[in-house]
Amino acid sequence: MSKEIIGVLGDIHGRIIWKEIINKNPRITKWVFMGDYFDTHHQGVSGDKQIVNFKEIVEFKKANPDKVILLTGNHDYHYIRGVGETYSGYQAGYALEIGELVEKAINDNLMQMCYLHDKFFFSHAGLTKTWVQRVFTLNNINPLVDDVMVQHINDYLKFQPRVFEFMMGDNFDQTGDDITQGPIWVRPFSLMVDMVDEITCVVGHTQVRKLEINPKLILIDCLGTTKEYLIIEDGIPKSSE
């Protein structure tokens, strides 16, 4: 039996570099996209181009359903009908079309909120005890992240997406640096303060100059800087560089 080698791509934001990366890595057996397919500050990457790029990513998932995991970021989430909040970069002129595409991908089980592989928990921003205890109505019980919890979190995206709304905490931080924030918003400092035990969070969301690998937290939002991506082989995370 061949071993699984996981490749993890940071926030897309309309970039097409994912195609080049995948084409030159035939050994990778599973690809994880960390979300944020839309909303870019780069000139020339119009909403139309972002939509085409997203459609191509979805088709890649359809062609490889067991090989590709598409996660959801805050810049995808705010296009879902009924969410009722928008963030920086929101493209009002394209909102209806993007929203329909995102919702269809979620309803067709092509997009999800999180993914668990061994000790590695993949989500756009991370998972705090405070958020889990609030959503699952736990009273200061140390939550266990397992396949059951992951499935529940993914079901929330499909059936009750408002649990992922921006949740201001005691820091009153407009960028999401609070332990109250969920898997599409929490920032690294608050995540490290309150991360669920016994997992290593792999996250995008917060752009870094270069990929950062720490025992409990791996930051990979650097397609816009070094163009690095993460590779996990034999349970060992390493940079593509």
Side-chain angles (χ1 to χ4, degrees):
M1 181 181 294
S2 60
K3 63 183 179 180
E4 187 154 76
I5 306 173
I6 300 178
V8 193
L9 297 165
D11 303 15
I12 296 294
H13 289 302
R15 300 183 183 95
I16 62 172
I17 192 174
W18 65 272
K19 302 176 189 178
E20 175 187 335
I21 292 171
I22 287 168
N23 286 336
K24 72 179 184 181
N25 282 279
R27 292 179 62 243
I28 301 295
T29 59
K30 179 161 287 183
W31 287 99
V32 180
F33 288 68
M34 299 302 291
D36 274 8
Y37 307 99
F38 299 100
D39 302 347
T40 179
H41 300 294
H42 298 285
Q43 291 184 348
V45 187
S46 65
D48 289 330
K49 291 181 179 179
Q50 294 168 46
I51 287 169
V52 169
N53 194 45
F54 179 69
K55 288 180 177 178
E56 291 177 346
I57 291 171
V58 169
E59 288 303 314
F60 178 55
K61 164 68 175 177
K62 289 180 179 178
N64 303 275
D66 298 323
K67 184 179 178 179
V68 179
I69 303 292
L70 303 183
L71 300 183
T72 306
N74 56 303
H75 286 279
D76 317 308
Y77 172 79
H78 65 174
Y79 291 104
I80 297 173
R81 285 176 298 178
V83 165
E85 55 187 33
T86 59
Y87 320 128
S88 65
Y90 182 77
Q91 301 168 95
Y94 294 94
L96 181 60
E97 185 175 1
I98 293 174
E100 290 176 349
L101 290 171
V102 170
E103 288 171 26
K104 180 170 174 51
I106 293 170
N107 290 331
D108 290 346
N109 298 315
L110 301 174
M111 283 177 68
Q112 59 198 71
M113 182 55 64
C114 59
Y115 173 64
L116 181 67
H117 177 81
D118 293 335
K119 67 176 181 178
F120 297 101
F121 179 84
F122 303 85
S123 66
H124 184 65
L127 194 66
T128 68
K129 295 176 185 176
T130 297
W131 184 85
V132 171
Q133 287 164 353
R134 178 177 65 82
V135 170
F136 291 92
T137 63
L138 300 174
N139 296 318
N140 297 317
I141 299 172
N142 187 30
L144 172 65
V145 178
D146 56 13
D147 291 337
V148 174
M149 176 178 285
V150 166
Q151 186 59 56
H152 282 315
I153 293 173
N154 287 330
D155 285 344
Y156 275 127
L157 176 63
K158 191 172 184 179
F159 301 110
Q160 198 175 339
R162 293 191 65 175
V163 302
F164 301 106
E165 289 180 342
F166 190 95
M167 183 61 64
M168 189 75 76
D170 292 342
N171 291 344
F172 295 100
D173 189 273
Q174 297 292 332
T175 70
D177 196 1
D178 273 294
I179 61 175
T180 52
Q181 299 286 5
I184 60 171
W185 262 114
V186 64
R187 295 293 178 177
F189 178 79
S190 292
L191 179 59
M192 285 300 296
V193 168
D194 195 44
M195 187 187 300
V196 176
D197 295 334
E198 299 182 7
I199 60 172
T200 295
C201 279
V202 181
V203 305
H205 186 49
T206 299
Q207 189 176 74
V208 289
R209 187 181 62 82
K210 65 188 302 293
L211 194 146
E212 298 181 16
I213 298 176
N214 303 289
K216 294 289 291 179
L217 178 62
I218 302 175
L219 304 172
I220 71 164
D221 183 11
C222 53
L223 287 182
T225 53
T226 61
K227 299 180 173 58
E228 293 171 271
Y229 48 96
L230 180 69
I231 297 173
I232 301 176
E233 186 172 1
D234 295 328
I236 300 172
K238 63 180 180 181
S239 167
S240 58
E241 292 296 301

